[in-house]
């Protein structure tokens, strides 16, 4: 083990140390160390590219954060994800604060708007409103196409705490307005339901 460790140290010095160029270029040792010289060149180039990329991402993050664009993008992403869960219903988020390193999010003034309001003639423009929502989650699992790559079959949300909630429930025959948020339900056509309601109202008025 000691010999193997010594050989690894020597090879690392030969590959990475700048003074090893003369040793590698020696006519007698060139056939042996030429692959190592190529490897050192590749590693040096890859390290320089990685550092340039990290600097660029750092500057880009600082610029987006300073101008507020990053926060708007995160808010739009949260609204899009909520809409996907709720069968395409529109959601609006007043403000959002995200700690990516700890996997925490704090949302305020979250509103679930009433879908298909004109078709069903709902009275309320929204189904629910939440004052604050605190969420803890795994960041990688919540990014589309990234989570499955890292072995997350679904979005990994640990806790959800909702405060100051208002819910506006309406009913048309046997259909509640919040039923439209569930994509698994097979709901009747809105036109047929509203026509039956109007027919029943006309019958009651005639009596």
């Amino acid at each position: 083990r000691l010999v193997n460790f010594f050989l690894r140290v020597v090879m690392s010095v030969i590959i990475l140390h700048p003074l090893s160029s003369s040793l590698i270029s020696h006519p007698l040792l060139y056939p042996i160390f030429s692959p190592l010289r190529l490897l050192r060149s590749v590693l040096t180039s890859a390290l320089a590219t990685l550092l340039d990329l990290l600097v660029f991402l750092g500057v880009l993050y600082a610029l987006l954060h300073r101008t507020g664009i990053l926060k708007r993008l995160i808010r739009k992403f949260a609204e899009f994800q909520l809409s996907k869960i709720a069968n395409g219903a529109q959601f609006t988020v007043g403000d959002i604060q995200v700690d990516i390193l700890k996997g925490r999010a704090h949302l305020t003034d979250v509103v679930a708007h009433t879908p298909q309001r004109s078709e069903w003639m709902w009275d309320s423009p929204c189904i629910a409103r939440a004052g604050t929502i605190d969420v803890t989650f795994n960041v990688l699992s919540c990014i589309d196409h990234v989570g499955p790559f890292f072995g997350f079959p679904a979005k990994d949300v640990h806790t959800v705490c909702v405060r100051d909630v208002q819910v506006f429930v309406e009913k048309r025959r046997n259909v509640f307005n919040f039923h439209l948020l569930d994509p698994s339900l097979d709901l009747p056509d809105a036109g047929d339901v509203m026509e039956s309601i109007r027919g029943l109202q006309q019958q009651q008025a005639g009596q």
Side-chain angles (χ1 to χ4, degrees):
R1 293 181 180 178
L2 184 60
V3 174
N4 290 335
F5 175 75
F6 177 75
L7 290 176
R8 291 178 183 177
V9 172
V10 172
M11 295 300 293
S12 300
V13 172
I14 290 175
I15 293 173
L16 299 176
H17 199 279
L19 297 179
S20 62
S21 300
S22 59
L23 179 61
I24 295 176
S25 302
H26 195 278
L28 297 178
L29 300 178
Y30 183 80
I32 300 176
F33 290 106
S34 58
L36 301 179
R37 186 177 185 179
L38 177 61
L39 179 59
R40 186 185 67 176
S41 176
V42 172
L43 291 176
T44 303
S45 177
L47 182 60
T49 303
L50 179 60
L51 291 176
D52 292 340
L53 179 61
L54 291 177
V55 171
F56 172 76
L57 292 178
V59 173
L60 180 63
Y61 174 82
L63 179 62
L64 294 178
H65 180 73
R66 184 72 175 178
T67 57
I69 297 177
L70 181 62
K71 195 171 188 177
R72 288 195 292 270
L73 291 176
I74 295 176
R75 188 176 63 206
K76 291 297 182 183
F77 177 78
E79 294 174 349
F80 175 73
Q81 293 297 327
L82 290 172
S83 179
K84 286 179 59 177
I85 297 173
N87 197 24
Q90 181 185 0
F91 277 78
T92 54
V93 178
D95 190 23
I96 182 171
Q97 298 176 359
V98 180
D99 188 340
I100 297 178
L101 297 179
K102 295 182 179 180
R104 297 177 181 175
H106 178 76
L107 295 79
T108 57
D109 294 331
V110 181
V111 178
H113 297 269
T114 304
Q116 304 178 27
R117 186 184 177 192
S118 59
E119 291 86 345
W120 290 91
M121 299 181 65
W122 304 115
D123 297 326
S124 175
C126 61
I127 294 179
R129 187 199 69 84
T132 61
I133 301 178
D134 293 302
V135 186
T136 59
F137 55 94
N138 185 294
V139 177
L140 293 178
S141 68
C142 295
I143 303 177
D144 294 337
H145 309 296
V146 175
F149 178 78
F150 285 96
F152 296 99
K155 292 178 173 58
D156 189 6
V157 179
H158 303 155
T159 60
V160 178
C161 181
V162 184
R163 300 183 182 90
D164 187 19
V165 181
Q166 293 177 322
V167 180
F168 307 92
V169 179
E170 298 182 56
K171 184 180 180 182
R172 298 291 182 266
R173 302 289 286 187
N174 60 338
V175 179
F176 290 91
N177 55 351
F178 57 82
H179 284 164
L180 276 68
L181 304 179
D182 190 351
S184 64
L185 297 180
D186 186 14
L187 300 177
D189 183 69
D192 297 337
V193 174
M194 298 309 299
E195 184 177 355
S196 66
I197 292 177
R198 285 191 291 267
L200 181 60
Q201 292 175 346
Q202 291 175 358
Q203 291 179 1
Q204 294 176 349
Q207 294 177 356

